[in-house]
Protein backbone atom coordinates (compact mmCIF):
# COMPACT_ATOMS: atom_id res chain seq x y z
CA UNK A 1 0.00 0.00 0.00
CA UNK A 2 1.27 3.46 -0.87
CA UNK A 3 2.16 5.73 2.06
CA UNK A 4 -0.25 8.45 0.88
CA UNK A 5 -3.15 5.99 0.77
CA UNK A 6 -2.24 4.67 4.20
CA UNK A 7 -2.14 8.18 5.65
CA UNK A 8 -5.50 9.00 4.08
CA UNK A 9 -7.03 5.88 5.61
CA UNK A 10 -5.50 6.70 8.97
CA UNK A 11 -6.97 10.19 8.85
CA UNK A 12 -10.39 8.78 7.98
CA UNK A 13 -10.07 6.31 10.85
CA UNK A 14 -9.46 9.00 13.42
CA UNK A 15 -12.25 11.13 12.00
CA UNK A 16 -14.46 8.07 12.43
CA UNK A 17 -13.39 7.72 16.04
CA UNK A 18 -14.17 11.38 16.66
CA UNK A 19 -17.58 11.08 15.02
CA UNK A 20 -18.45 8.01 17.09
CA UNK A 21 -17.42 9.76 20.27
CA UNK A 22 -19.61 12.78 19.48
CA UNK A 23 -22.63 10.77 18.36
CA UNK A 24 -22.36 8.21 21.21
CA UNK A 25 -22.93 5.14 19.04
CA UNK A 26 -26.25 3.39 19.69
CA UNK A 27 -26.14 0.20 21.73
CA UNK A 28 -26.57 -3.38 20.52
CA UNK A 29 -30.09 -4.06 19.29
CA UNK A 30 -29.91 -7.23 17.20
CA UNK A 31 -32.23 -9.49 19.20
CA UNK A 32 -29.67 -12.32 19.23
CA UNK A 33 -28.16 -14.52 21.96
CA UNK A 34 -31.22 -14.51 24.18
CA UNK A 35 -29.65 -17.68 25.52
CA UNK A 36 -25.93 -18.57 25.15
CA UNK A 37 -25.15 -19.23 21.47
CA UNK A 38 -24.17 -22.76 20.46
CA UNK A 39 -22.15 -24.07 17.58
CA UNK A 40 -18.70 -25.09 16.40
CA UNK A 41 -15.49 -23.06 16.04
CA UNK A 42 -12.34 -24.19 14.27
CA UNK A 43 -9.56 -22.54 16.27
CA UNK A 44 -8.60 -24.83 19.16
CA UNK A 45 -8.70 -28.03 17.11
CA UNK A 46 -7.44 -26.82 13.72
CA UNK A 47 -5.60 -23.56 14.56
CA UNK A 48 -3.99 -21.91 11.51
CA UNK A 49 -3.34 -25.02 9.43
CA UNK A 50 -3.21 -23.64 5.89
CA UNK A 51 -1.41 -26.60 4.27
CA UNK A 52 -4.22 -27.82 2.05
CA UNK A 53 -1.75 -29.48 -0.30
CA UNK A 54 -0.53 -32.01 2.25
CA UNK A 55 -3.45 -31.97 4.72
CA UNK A 56 -6.60 -31.22 2.69
CA UNK A 57 -8.90 -32.81 5.26
CA UNK A 58 -7.81 -30.61 8.18
CA UNK A 59 -6.65 -27.31 6.71
CA UNK A 60 -8.52 -24.02 7.04
CA UNK A 61 -10.51 -24.22 3.83
CA UNK A 62 -14.06 -24.57 2.58
CA UNK A 63 -13.95 -28.37 2.75
CA UNK A 64 -13.42 -28.32 6.52
CA UNK A 65 -16.39 -26.05 7.20
CA UNK A 66 -18.67 -27.86 4.77
CA UNK A 67 -17.86 -31.21 6.36
CA UNK A 68 -18.42 -29.81 9.86
CA UNK A 69 -21.78 -28.45 8.74
CA UNK A 70 -22.58 -31.91 7.36
CA UNK A 71 -21.57 -33.52 10.68
CA UNK A 72 -23.60 -31.05 12.73
CA UNK A 73 -26.72 -31.63 10.67
CA UNK A 74 -26.39 -35.43 10.44
CA UNK A 75 -24.96 -36.10 13.90
CA UNK A 76 -27.73 -34.60 15.99
CA UNK A 77 -25.85 -31.43 16.95
CA UNK A 78 -28.14 -29.12 14.99
CA UNK A 79 -31.19 -30.77 16.56
CA UNK A 80 -29.62 -30.27 20.00
CA UNK A 81 -29.25 -26.51 19.41
CA UNK A 82 -25.74 -26.12 17.96
CA UNK A 83 -26.30 -23.74 15.04
CA UNK A 84 -23.19 -21.66 14.24
CA UNK A 85 -20.34 -22.95 12.08
CA UNK A 86 -17.57 -20.46 12.88
CA UNK A 87 -14.52 -19.74 10.74
CA UNK A 88 -11.60 -18.40 12.79
CA UNK A 89 -8.29 -16.81 11.76
CA UNK A 90 -6.26 -17.53 8.59
CA UNK A 91 -9.16 -17.73 6.12
CA UNK A 92 -8.26 -14.63 4.12
CA UNK A 93 -5.77 -13.90 1.39
CA UNK A 94 -2.77 -11.93 2.63
CA UNK A 95 -3.74 -8.90 0.54
CA UNK A 96 -7.00 -7.07 0.00
CA UNK A 97 -8.39 -6.45 -3.47
CA UNK A 98 -7.64 -3.27 -5.45
CA UNK A 99 -10.86 -1.87 -3.96
CA UNK A 100 -9.61 -2.69 -0.43
CA UNK A 101 -12.10 -5.51 0.01
CA UNK A 102 -11.31 -8.63 2.02
CA UNK A 103 -10.67 -11.66 -0.16
CA UNK A 104 -10.84 -15.30 0.94
CA UNK A 105 -7.79 -17.34 0.07
CA UNK A 106 -8.54 -18.43 -3.52
CA UNK A 107 -6.86 -21.83 -3.17
CA UNK A 108 -8.43 -22.84 0.12
CA UNK A 109 -11.82 -21.22 -0.54
CA UNK A 110 -12.11 -21.58 -4.34
CA UNK A 111 -15.87 -20.95 -4.39
CA UNK A 112 -15.73 -17.98 -2.01
CA UNK A 113 -17.33 -17.31 1.36
CA UNK A 114 -20.74 -16.40 -0.11
CA UNK A 115 -21.04 -19.87 -1.60
CA UNK A 116 -19.89 -21.43 1.66
CA UNK A 117 -22.53 -19.44 3.56
CA UNK A 118 -25.18 -20.68 1.15
CA UNK A 119 -24.05 -24.27 1.73
CA UNK A 120 -24.15 -23.87 5.52
CA UNK A 121 -27.54 -22.16 5.37
CA UNK A 122 -28.77 -25.03 3.23
CA UNK A 123 -28.08 -27.29 6.21
CA UNK A 124 -30.24 -25.07 8.42
CA UNK A 125 -27.15 -23.65 10.13
CA UNK A 126 -25.45 -20.26 10.36
CA UNK A 127 -21.96 -19.16 9.34
CA UNK A 128 -19.62 -17.07 11.47
CA UNK A 129 -16.36 -15.39 10.47
CA UNK A 130 -13.32 -13.90 12.20
CA UNK A 131 -11.59 -10.54 11.94
CA UNK A 132 -9.54 -8.09 13.95
CA UNK A 133 -9.82 -4.44 14.93
CA UNK A 134 -6.09 -4.01 14.40
CA UNK A 135 -4.02 -3.58 11.27
CA UNK A 136 -3.59 -7.37 11.08
CA UNK A 137 -5.30 -10.39 12.60
CA UNK A 138 -3.40 -12.38 15.19
CA UNK A 139 -2.27 -14.70 12.39
CA UNK A 140 -0.99 -11.84 10.25
CA UNK A 141 -3.91 -11.51 7.83
CA UNK A 142 -5.64 -8.21 6.95
CA UNK A 143 -7.34 -6.52 9.89
CA UNK A 144 -10.23 -4.06 9.87
CA UNK A 145 -8.69 -1.06 11.62
CA UNK A 146 -9.32 1.35 8.73
CA UNK A 147 -12.06 -0.54 6.90
CA UNK A 148 -14.71 -1.44 9.45
CA UNK A 149 -17.70 -0.15 7.50
CA UNK A 150 -16.51 -1.75 4.29
CA UNK A 151 -15.83 -5.07 5.98
CA UNK A 152 -19.21 -5.10 7.74
CA UNK A 153 -20.86 -4.53 4.37
CA UNK A 154 -18.79 -7.31 2.78
CA UNK A 155 -19.76 -9.77 5.52
CA UNK A 156 -23.42 -8.89 5.07
CA UNK A 157 -23.18 -9.38 1.29
CA UNK A 158 -21.60 -12.78 1.86
CA UNK A 159 -24.45 -13.86 4.15
CA UNK A 160 -22.42 -14.04 7.36
CA UNK A 161 -24.40 -14.48 10.61
CA UNK A 162 -21.74 -13.97 13.29
CA UNK A 163 -18.61 -11.88 13.52
CA UNK A 164 -15.78 -12.36 16.02
CA UNK A 165 -13.48 -9.33 16.27
CA UNK A 166 -10.10 -9.94 17.89
CA UNK A 167 -7.73 -7.28 19.23
CA UNK A 168 -4.23 -8.03 17.94
CA UNK A 169 -2.01 -5.36 16.35
CA UNK A 170 -4.00 -2.56 17.95
CA UNK A 171 -3.99 -0.31 20.98
CA UNK A 172 -6.21 -1.14 23.94
CA UNK A 173 -6.90 2.59 24.19
CA UNK A 174 -8.93 2.23 20.99
CA UNK A 175 -11.09 -0.63 22.28
CA UNK A 176 -13.83 1.40 24.05
CA UNK A 177 -14.47 3.27 20.80
CA UNK A 178 -13.57 0.80 18.04
CA UNK A 179 -15.73 -2.10 19.23
CA UNK A 180 -18.86 0.12 19.45
CA UNK A 181 -18.05 1.48 15.98
CA UNK A 182 -17.92 -2.01 14.49
CA UNK A 183 -21.16 -2.93 16.23
CA UNK A 184 -22.72 0.20 14.72
CA UNK A 185 -21.61 -0.73 11.21
CA UNK A 186 -22.76 -4.35 11.60
CA UNK A 187 -26.21 -3.14 12.65
CA UNK A 188 -26.21 -0.61 9.81
CA UNK A 189 -26.10 -3.42 7.23
CA UNK A 190 -29.57 -4.51 8.31
CA UNK A 191 -28.37 -8.10 8.71
CA UNK A 192 -28.43 -9.61 12.24
CA UNK A 193 -24.85 -10.35 13.33
CA UNK A 194 -24.02 -12.14 16.54
CA UNK A 195 -21.14 -9.93 17.70
CA UNK A 196 -18.31 -11.65 19.58
CA UNK A 197 -15.74 -9.30 21.13
CA UNK A 198 -12.26 -9.89 22.53
CA UNK A 199 -12.35 -6.50 24.25
CA UNK A 200 -11.82 -7.56 27.90
CA UNK A 201 -9.37 -10.35 27.01
CA UNK A 202 -6.73 -7.73 26.22
CA UNK A 203 -7.67 -5.19 28.88
CA UNK A 204 -8.32 -6.83 32.26
CA UNK A 205 -9.75 -3.76 34.00
CA UNK A 206 -12.93 -3.13 32.10
CA UNK A 207 -16.31 -1.47 32.27
CA UNK A 208 -18.33 -4.63 31.72
CA UNK A 209 -21.60 -2.72 31.66
CA UNK A 210 -20.32 -0.84 28.59
CA UNK A 211 -19.03 -4.03 26.97
CA UNK A 212 -22.43 -5.67 27.39
CA UNK A 213 -23.99 -2.63 25.75
CA UNK A 214 -22.22 -3.38 22.47
CA UNK A 215 -21.30 -7.09 22.42
CA UNK A 216 -23.41 -10.24 22.48
CA UNK A 217 -20.55 -12.33 23.87
CA UNK A 218 -17.03 -11.45 24.93
CA UNK A 219 -13.84 -13.29 25.68
CA UNK A 220 -12.29 -12.13 28.94
CA UNK A 221 -9.51 -14.64 29.57
CA UNK A 222 -6.72 -16.54 27.79
CA UNK A 223 -7.32 -18.89 24.87
CA UNK A 224 -8.22 -22.38 25.97
CA UNK A 225 -5.74 -25.18 25.25
CA UNK A 226 -6.38 -28.90 25.05
CA UNK A 227 -5.48 -29.65 28.66
CA UNK A 228 -7.01 -30.09 32.10
CA UNK A 229 -4.73 -27.35 33.45
CA UNK A 230 -6.21 -24.91 30.95
CA UNK A 231 -9.79 -25.82 31.88
CA UNK A 232 -8.98 -25.46 35.58
CA UNK A 233 -7.39 -22.04 35.08
CA UNK A 234 -10.52 -20.79 33.31
CA UNK A 235 -12.77 -22.16 36.05
CA UNK A 236 -10.65 -20.38 38.65
CA UNK A 237 -10.78 -17.08 36.73
CA UNK A 238 -14.55 -17.28 36.48
CA UNK A 239 -14.87 -18.34 40.09
CA UNK A 240 -12.79 -15.36 41.24
CA UNK A 241 -15.09 -13.10 39.18
CA UNK A 242 -12.88 -10.01 39.49
CA UNK A 243 -14.75 -6.93 38.43
CA UNK A 244 -18.05 -8.76 39.04
CA UNK A 245 -18.43 -9.56 35.35
CA UNK A 246 -20.99 -12.23 36.23
CA UNK A 247 -23.46 -9.46 37.05
CA UNK A 248 -23.78 -8.26 33.44
CA UNK A 249 -24.53 -11.69 31.96
CA UNK A 250 -28.08 -12.17 30.79
CA UNK A 251 -30.26 -12.57 27.70
CA UNK A 252 -28.42 -10.93 24.80
CA UNK A 253 -25.03 -10.70 26.57
CA UNK A 254 -22.80 -13.48 27.90
CA UNK A 255 -19.25 -13.96 29.18
CA UNK A 256 -17.33 -16.40 26.97
CA UNK A 257 -14.81 -18.73 28.68
CA UNK A 258 -13.85 -20.07 25.23
CA UNK A 259 -14.40 -23.30 23.32
CA UNK A 260 -15.44 -26.76 24.43
CA UNK A 261 -12.47 -29.08 23.95
CA UNK A 262 -14.59 -32.17 24.56
CA UNK A 263 -13.66 -34.84 22.03
CA UNK A 264 -10.00 -33.94 21.68
CA UNK A 265 -7.17 -35.66 23.57
CA UNK A 266 -6.44 -33.44 26.57
CA UNK A 267 -9.26 -34.44 28.93
CA UNK A 268 -10.39 -37.69 30.51
CA UNK A 269 -14.07 -38.66 30.28
CA UNK A 270 -14.70 -37.24 33.76
CA UNK A 271 -12.86 -34.02 32.96
CA UNK A 272 -14.98 -33.63 29.83
CA UNK A 273 -18.05 -33.84 32.05
CA UNK A 274 -16.53 -31.14 34.26
CA UNK A 275 -16.17 -28.77 31.32
CA UNK A 276 -19.72 -29.39 30.10
CA UNK A 277 -21.12 -28.95 33.60
CA UNK A 278 -19.19 -25.77 34.30
CA UNK A 279 -19.89 -24.15 30.93
CA UNK A 280 -23.58 -24.91 31.58
CA UNK A 281 -23.48 -23.48 35.10
CA UNK A 282 -21.65 -20.37 33.82
CA UNK A 283 -24.24 -19.70 31.08
CA UNK A 284 -21.37 -19.83 28.60
CA UNK A 285 -21.54 -20.07 24.82
CA UNK A 286 -21.18 -23.71 23.79
CA UNK A 287 -18.81 -23.64 20.83
CA UNK A 288 -17.35 -27.07 20.19
CA UNK A 289 -13.83 -27.25 18.79
CA UNK A 290 -13.20 -30.88 17.99
CA UNK A 291 -13.33 -33.01 14.87
CA UNK A 292 -17.02 -33.89 14.68
CA UNK A 293 -16.29 -36.24 11.78
CA UNK A 294 -14.43 -38.60 14.08
CA UNK A 295 -15.64 -38.26 17.66
CA UNK A 296 -15.75 -41.02 20.25
CA UNK A 297 -19.23 -41.86 21.51
CA UNK A 298 -18.55 -40.87 25.12
CA UNK A 299 -17.73 -37.33 23.99
CA UNK A 300 -20.75 -37.22 21.70
CA UNK A 301 -22.98 -38.22 24.59
CA UNK A 302 -21.65 -35.37 26.73
CA UNK A 303 -21.96 -32.74 23.98
CA UNK A 304 -25.48 -33.91 23.14
CA UNK A 305 -26.72 -34.31 26.72
CA UNK A 306 -30.03 -32.48 26.63
CA UNK A 307 -30.26 -32.14 30.41
CA UNK A 308 -26.98 -30.21 30.50
CA UNK A 309 -27.92 -28.18 27.41
CA UNK A 310 -31.27 -27.27 28.99
CA UNK A 311 -29.46 -25.78 31.98
CA UNK A 312 -27.04 -23.90 29.74
CA UNK A 313 -29.98 -22.57 27.70
CA UNK A 314 -32.13 -21.62 30.69
CA UNK A 315 -34.09 -18.53 29.67
CA UNK A 316 -33.29 -16.58 32.83
CA UNK A 317 -29.75 -16.34 31.48
CA UNK A 318 -28.21 -15.91 34.93
CA UNK A 319 -24.53 -16.80 35.17
CA UNK A 320 -23.76 -19.24 37.98
CA UNK A 321 -21.18 -18.36 40.60
CA UNK A 322 -18.71 -20.10 42.87
CA UNK A 323 -20.23 -19.82 46.33
CA UNK A 324 -18.33 -22.34 48.46
CA UNK A 325 -14.80 -23.71 48.80
CA UNK A 326 -13.27 -26.32 51.09
CA UNK A 327 -9.86 -27.78 50.29
CA UNK A 328 -9.97 -29.20 46.77
CA UNK A 329 -13.75 -28.95 46.67
CA UNK A 330 -15.77 -26.02 45.44
CA UNK A 331 -19.48 -25.44 44.95
CA UNK A 332 -21.26 -23.46 42.27
CA UNK A 333 -24.92 -22.64 41.86
CA UNK A 334 -27.13 -20.99 39.27
CA UNK A 335 -30.79 -19.96 39.57
CA UNK A 336 -32.87 -21.54 36.78
CA UNK A 337 -36.48 -22.06 35.79
CA UNK A 338 -38.97 -23.01 37.07
CA UNK A 339 -38.71 -20.11 39.50
CA UNK A 340 -36.96 -21.02 42.72
CA UNK A 341 -34.95 -23.86 41.14
CA UNK A 342 -31.16 -24.21 40.91
CA UNK A 343 -28.43 -25.95 39.00
CA UNK A 344 -25.53 -26.91 41.25
CA UNK A 345 -22.04 -28.25 40.65
CA UNK A 346 -19.71 -29.69 43.28
CA UNK A 347 -16.17 -29.92 41.88
CA UNK A 348 -13.35 -32.07 43.15
CA UNK A 349 -10.23 -30.40 41.74
CA UNK A 350 -7.79 -32.74 43.44
CA UNK A 351 -5.35 -34.97 41.58
CA UNK A 352 -4.73 -38.68 41.87
CA UNK A 353 -8.05 -40.23 40.96
CA UNK A 354 -9.25 -41.05 44.47
CA UNK A 355 -12.91 -41.10 45.42
CA UNK A 356 -13.49 -38.44 48.09
CA UNK A 357 -16.37 -37.88 50.53
CA UNK A 358 -17.92 -34.45 50.77
CA UNK A 359 -20.85 -33.09 52.76
CA UNK A 360 -22.40 -29.68 52.25
CA UNK A 361 -25.50 -27.96 53.50
CA UNK A 362 -27.50 -26.73 50.53
CA UNK A 363 -27.93 -23.29 52.09
CA UNK A 364 -24.15 -22.92 51.78
CA UNK A 365 -24.69 -23.06 48.01
CA UNK A 366 -27.09 -20.14 48.20
CA UNK A 367 -30.11 -22.41 47.92
CA UNK A 368 -33.31 -20.99 49.40
CA UNK A 369 -36.49 -23.02 49.64
CA UNK A 370 -38.13 -25.72 51.65
CA UNK A 371 -38.64 -28.47 49.10
CA UNK A 372 -36.78 -29.59 45.98
CA UNK A 373 -36.36 -32.73 43.95
CA UNK A 374 -32.70 -33.40 43.18
CA UNK A 375 -31.64 -35.11 39.96
CA UNK A 376 -28.18 -35.86 38.59
CA UNK A 377 -27.98 -33.93 35.33
CA UNK A 378 -25.97 -36.23 33.06
CA UNK A 379 -28.04 -39.33 33.83
CA UNK A 380 -31.34 -37.69 34.75
CA UNK A 381 -31.45 -39.99 37.79
CA UNK A 382 -33.70 -38.90 40.65
CA UNK A 383 -31.71 -38.71 43.89
CA UNK A 384 -34.30 -37.56 46.42
CA UNK A 385 -36.13 -34.71 48.09
CA UNK A 386 -34.17 -31.93 49.77
CA UNK A 387 -34.59 -28.52 51.38
CA UNK A 388 -32.16 -25.67 51.89
CA UNK A 389 -31.35 -26.99 55.37
CA UNK A 390 -30.57 -30.48 54.04
CA UNK A 391 -27.03 -31.81 53.96
CA UNK A 392 -25.94 -33.26 50.65
CA UNK A 393 -23.53 -36.16 51.08
CA UNK A 394 -21.55 -37.25 48.04
CA UNK A 395 -18.57 -39.23 46.85
CA UNK A 396 -16.77 -37.53 43.97
CA UNK A 397 -13.69 -38.70 42.12
CA UNK A 398 -10.79 -36.29 41.87
CA UNK A 399 -10.89 -34.21 38.67
CA UNK A 400 -14.60 -34.85 38.52
CA UNK A 401 -17.94 -33.19 39.27
CA UNK A 402 -21.37 -33.77 40.69
CA UNK A 403 -23.80 -31.88 38.46
CA UNK A 404 -27.27 -31.56 39.96
CA UNK A 405 -30.62 -29.92 39.33
CA UNK A 406 -32.75 -28.82 42.26
CA UNK A 407 -36.30 -28.37 41.01
CA UNK A 408 -38.60 -26.39 43.31
CA UNK A 409 -41.85 -28.22 44.14
Amino acid sequence: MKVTAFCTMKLLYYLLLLTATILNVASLQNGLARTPPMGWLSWERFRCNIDCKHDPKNCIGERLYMEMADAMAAGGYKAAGYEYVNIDDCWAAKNRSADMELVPDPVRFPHGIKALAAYVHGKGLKLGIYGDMGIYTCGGYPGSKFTMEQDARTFAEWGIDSFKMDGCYSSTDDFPIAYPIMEFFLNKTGRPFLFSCSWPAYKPQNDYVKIAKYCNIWRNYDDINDSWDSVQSIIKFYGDDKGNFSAVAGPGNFNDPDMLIIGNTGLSDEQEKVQMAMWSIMAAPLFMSSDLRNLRKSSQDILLNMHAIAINQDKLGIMGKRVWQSGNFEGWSRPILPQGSYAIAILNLGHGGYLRDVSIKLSHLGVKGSKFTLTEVFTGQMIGNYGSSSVLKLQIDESSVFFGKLTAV
Side-chain angles (χ1 to χ4, degrees):
M1 185 187 299
K2 293 181 179 179
V3 175
T4 53
F6 178 81
C7 291
T8 300
M9 291 176 64
K10 189 171 183 180
L11 176 60
L12 289 173
Y13 172 72
Y14 285 110
L15 285 173
L16 192 62
L17 293 183
L18 179 60
T19 301
T21 302
I22 294 172
L23 295 179
N24 188 20
V25 177
S27 61
L28 187 74
Q29 295 179 355
N30 60 19
L32 300 176
R34 306 312 297 172
T35 59
M38 299 171 60
W40 180 89
L41 199 157
S42 58
W43 181 254
E44 202 292 318
R45 176 63 180 82
F46 296 95
R47 301 288 177 169
C48 192
N49 177 1
I50 59 173
D51 187 2
C52 288
K53 180 178 180 179
H54 297 101
D55 193 10
K57 185 177 176 66
N58 299 306
C59 68
I60 302 304
E62 64 183 25
R63 173 182 173 179
L64 176 68
Y65 298 99
M66 292 169 71
E67 290 185 354
M68 289 304 160
D70 293 344
M72 286 174 66
Y77 300 97
K78 172 192 164 187
Y82 296 95
E83 61 175 344
Y84 288 94
V85 179
N86 291 315
I87 303 169
D88 209 88
D89 204 351
C90 309
W91 61 269
K94 284 286 188 174
N95 296 302
R96 290 174 176 265
S97 72
D99 296 327
M100 294 304 297
E101 292 183 344
L102 287 167
V103 179
D105 184 280
V107 174
R108 295 182 282 117
F109 294 87
H111 299 96
I113 301 297
K114 187 172 183 178
L116 177 58
Y119 184 89
V120 170
H121 293 158
K123 297 289 180 179
L125 300 165
K126 297 178 180 180
L127 185 67
I129 206 162
Y130 168 99
D132 196 289
M133 63 158 288
I135 299 171
Y136 304 106
T137 70
C138 298
Y141 293 81
S144 297
K145 191 175 185 74
F146 306 123
T147 55
M148 286 188 278
E149 182 173 18
Q150 183 174 14
D151 292 349
R153 190 166 56 245
T154 295
F155 296 146
E157 290 170 354
W158 286 348
I160 296 297
D161 305 291
S162 174
F163 178 56
K164 173 184 174 181
M165 191 160 81
D166 216 330
C168 288
Y169 295 98
S170 58
S171 168
T172 55
D173 292 337
D174 289 346
F175 284 21
I177 299 174
Y179 276 101
I181 287 174
M182 191 63 188
E183 184 273 332
F184 172 79
F185 286 135
L186 291 171
N187 276 353
K188 186 181 176 183
T189 68
R191 183 173 183 82
F193 281 89
L194 179 79
F195 190 29
S196 172
C197 304
S198 296
W199 185 345
Y202 290 85
K203 197 172 183 181
Q205 300 303 319
N206 274 287
D207 180 353
Y208 277 100
V209 173
K210 183 173 183 178
I211 292 169
K213 188 177 180 181
Y214 299 107
C215 305
N216 291 119
I217 60 176
W218 51 87
R219 288 282 313 286
N220 45 2
Y221 190 60
D222 296 340
D223 287 358
I224 195 169
N225 291 310
D226 189 17
S227 74
W228 176 234
D229 285 345
S230 180
V231 171
Q232 286 187 98
S233 71
I234 293 171
I235 292 171
K236 181 181 186 306
F237 175 84
Y238 273 71
D240 292 344
D241 195 16
K242 292 180 180 177
N244 196 30
F245 53 80
S246 62
V248 301
N253 316 100
F254 294 98
N255 294 285
D256 181 5
D258 214 2
M259 297 157 279
L260 295 171
I261 57 172
I262 296 164
N264 293 327
T265 60
L267 303 182
S268 68
D269 289 349
E270 287 301 309
Q271 290 164 352
E272 289 189 342
K273 288 181 181 179
V274 170
Q275 191 186 23
M276 190 68 179
M278 295 311 301
W279 267 233
S280 298
I281 285 280
M282 295 188 297
L286 299 182
F287 289 140
M288 305 174 288
S289 192
S290 52
D291 191 344
L292 302 180
R293 301 165 300 188
N294 184 27
L295 209 62
R296 55 188 177 271
K297 187 177 185 304
S298 59
S299 299
Q300 291 177 356
D301 291 344
I302 293 169
L303 290 168
L304 295 173
N305 187 285
M306 295 310 298
H307 301 298
I309 290 172
I311 288 172
N312 175 267
Q313 295 291 294
D314 183 79
K315 293 187 183 300
L316 291 179
I318 299 172
M319 178 179 161
K321 301 185 71 170
R322 187 182 67 202
V323 293
W324 172 81
Q325 288 179 290
S326 177
N328 290 326
F329 287 102
E330 58 184 54
W332 292 63
S333 67
R334 174 187 178 184
I336 58 172
L337 293 172
Q339 289 289 344
S341 302
Y342 299 85
I344 61 172
I346 312 297
L347 285 172
N348 182 350
L349 295 175
H351 296 277
Y354 297 105
L355 197 64
R356 299 292 187 184
D357 294 322
V358 60
S359 298
I360 181 172
K361 196 173 185 179
L362 289 179
S363 60
H364 293 165
L365 296 176
V367 172
K368 298 178 181 179
S370 59
K371 191 174 182 180
F372 303 91
T373 58
L374 175 63
T375 55
E376 201 283 329
V377 171
F378 287 117
T379 63
Q381 180 183 354
M382 171 71 171
I383 294 176
N385 296 316
Y386 290 81
S388 60
S389 60
S390 302
V391 175
L392 184 61
K393 297 182 178 181
L394 301 166
Q395 285 189 319
I396 306 175
D397 282 320
E398 292 177 318
S399 303
S400 188
V401 64
F402 171 80
F403 190 17
K405 179 181 179 182
L406 288 161
T407 304
V409 294

